[in-house]
Amino acid sequence: MQSSIDLTRLPRSVRLGRDADGRAELTYLDERLLPGEECFCSTGSWRCIVDAIKTLAVRGAPAIGAAGAAAVALWAVNEGARGAVLHGCSEAGESFLGALGPVAAEISAARPTAVNLMWATARMESLAKRLVAEGAAPGEVADSLFDEVLRIEREDEKVNRAIGAAGAALVPEHARILTHCNAGSLATVFFGTALGVVYAAAEQDKVERVFADETRPVGQGARLTSWELSRAGVPVTVICDNMAASLMGKGMVDFVVVGADRITANGDVANKIGTYGVAVLAHHHSIPFYVAAPASTFDVSLPDGSAIPIEERDPSEVLPQPIDGVDVYNPAFDVTPAELISGIITEFGVFPPQDAAREVAARVG
């Protein structure tokens, strides 16, 4: 039987390019408007990208990593290189790096939990330092940073497809899959991590249906996961977050796969708030619970999940109209302990959570 999956209907979430004047610009899909409106925005301002990341116009750990790297390139091409030349600085390279540092720091701080953002900006800053040390002029460094973003974009899709292939082998025939939040093509440059597993399995005709948790309070499952799965031709049903237990109790879920925003040395995983609860439910019902994430999501500097910084967002996401005397607690993420995870799916294969960081680090070098 031939698969009816059509991934060509999925948009690329971010794409770096140049305008008619040669200035760098990033085009991104404003995910705040989905599913009602598919709107692409283009900007040459790195500050606009920081705002887009903060306000969830661009979201998903790999996607904000690519956008963060692009923000560095926008600054370098459109401001940094030109500024060093205009000032006529004899030490132009060092001047360029001195200005780059605060910019990279501000970009990295746009969202604190997803380590891919810090990984991407550190990669860009490291490249700039190496090139300056080799004697490159600011303009040459800026062009190289631009090219590095294009490399990150290509790598992202390649890595996601490898994750999908590794994860699809785990998916049973006629699988009914549950996922939480959106770790799909919309959360990456293209293809997705957790939904990359779904797409690869669907192409093998192994997916009967996907149940997408609504994912309160912003509804990434209801608005985004359902939208992209339906666009690609994967059968999908949206459920409220508090329906997952009932669904599992009725034997209607065979496999759970989610994404990640940070994975620590011991295999604990930070992901969208509510993931921990799904993992507990899956464990109780003896349903496999997998995490899909690239190497860039691992943070071996943290021993376990208790050290992960958890972003707290605006109360209006939970309670649009404030009520006098009522406080709102709105953490964007929670931490799932390694012992609740069946395995972590990476571009290098599937590993037990307690071994994943070590195995990935050995392959990254």
Side-chain angles (χ1 to χ4, degrees):
M1 178 176 172
Q2 179 149 1
S3 169
S4 60
I5 302 305
D6 184 5
L7 298 181
T8 64
R9 300 193 67 216
L10 297 179
R12 291 184 176 270
S13 62
V14 294
R15 188 192 297 271
L16 184 65
R18 292 186 185 267
D19 64 17
D21 297 322
R23 289 171 55 85
E25 67 174 10
L26 184 71
T27 299
Y28 62 90
L29 177 63
D30 188 341
E31 297 188 14
R32 296 169 299 186
L33 305 179
L34 289 174
E37 182 180 355
E38 189 175 342
C39 176
F40 288 89
C41 305
S42 295
T43 180
S45 167
W46 67 272
R47 289 183 177 86
C48 287
I49 298 305
V50 170
D51 184 67
I53 292 171
K54 287 181 176 180
T55 61
L56 306 185
V58 178
R59 47 145 300 280
I64 67 173
V72 173
L74 294 185
W75 172 83
V77 174
N78 300 341
E79 299 180 33
R82 299 183 183 193
V85 171
L86 288 174
H87 284 89
C89 181
S90 59
E91 299 293 336
E94 291 304 320
S95 174
F96 179 89
L97 291 179
L100 170 60
V103 170
E106 185 173 341
I107 295 167
S108 293
R111 296 196 70 190
T113 301
V115 75
N116 306 64
L117 182 57
M118 300 77 171
W119 166 85
T121 53
R123 173 170 166 171
M124 298 290 280
E125 203 167 4
S126 176
L127 174 60
K129 289 176 180 178
R130 178 173 63 79
L131 293 172
V132 168
E134 293 172 355
E140 296 172 315
V141 177
D143 287 340
S144 293
L145 291 175
F146 182 95
D147 292 340
E148 188 72 3
V149 177
L150 301 184
R151 192 173 296 112
I152 288 172
E153 290 181 6
R154 292 192 298 270
E155 287 175 5
D156 179 81
E157 181 177 351
K158 181 179 179 181
V159 162
N160 292 336
R161 288 186 180 275
I163 289 171
L170 303 168
V171 177
E173 297 290 337
H174 311 296
R176 296 160 299 178
I177 301 172
L178 185 136
T179 191
H180 188 77
C181 194
N182 174 265
S185 196
L186 294 171
T188 64
V189 175
F190 189 72
F191 197 71
T193 53
L195 291 194
V197 172
V198 171
Y199 292 136
E203 288 177 327
Q204 299 171 21
D205 292 313
K206 297 174 76 174
V207 178
E208 180 176 311
R209 179 161 297 275
V210 174
F211 291 101
D213 279 350
E214 180 187 20
T215 317
R216 287 279 299 149
V218 187
Q220 293 97 325
R223 294 188 304 108
L224 306 180
T225 294
S226 63
W227 181 83
E228 69 167 273
L229 286 172
S230 63
R231 287 280 292 251
V234 179
V236 57
T237 298
V238 172
I239 62 170
C240 295
D241 294 351
N242 57 3
M243 294 176 185
S246 176
L247 207 65
M248 291 180 183
K250 293 177 180 178
M252 296 174 65
V253 177
D254 307 302
F255 189 88
V256 179
V257 60
V258 299
D261 288 84
R262 193 181 302 222
I263 303 172
T264 58
N266 75 330
D268 291 348
V269 170
N271 194 50
K272 185 65 184 176
I273 189 72
T275 302
Y276 178 28
V278 173
V280 170
L281 291 172
H283 183 264
H284 176 77
H285 291 95
S286 300
I287 298 169
F289 178 95
Y290 284 93
V291 172
S296 56
T297 302
F298 285 82
D299 184 359
V300 296
S301 72
L302 301 184
D304 57 57
S306 66
I308 298 174
I310 300 298
E311 175 187 4
E312 291 194 30
R313 295 187 58 81
D314 194 289
S316 65
E317 291 181 349
V318 175
L319 201 62
Q321 296 296 324
I323 301 173
D324 287 343
V326 176
D327 295 327
V328 173
Y329 178 49
N330 186 22
F333 305 93
D334 57 24
V335 176
T336 299
E339 57 265 26
L340 295 178
I341 300 169
S342 304
I344 297 180
I345 307 166
T346 76
E347 64 265 43
F348 303 112
V350 185
F351 305 107
Q354 64 271 19
D355 300 331
R358 183 178 66 253
E359 294 285 355
V360 167
R363 287 159 175 80
V364 170

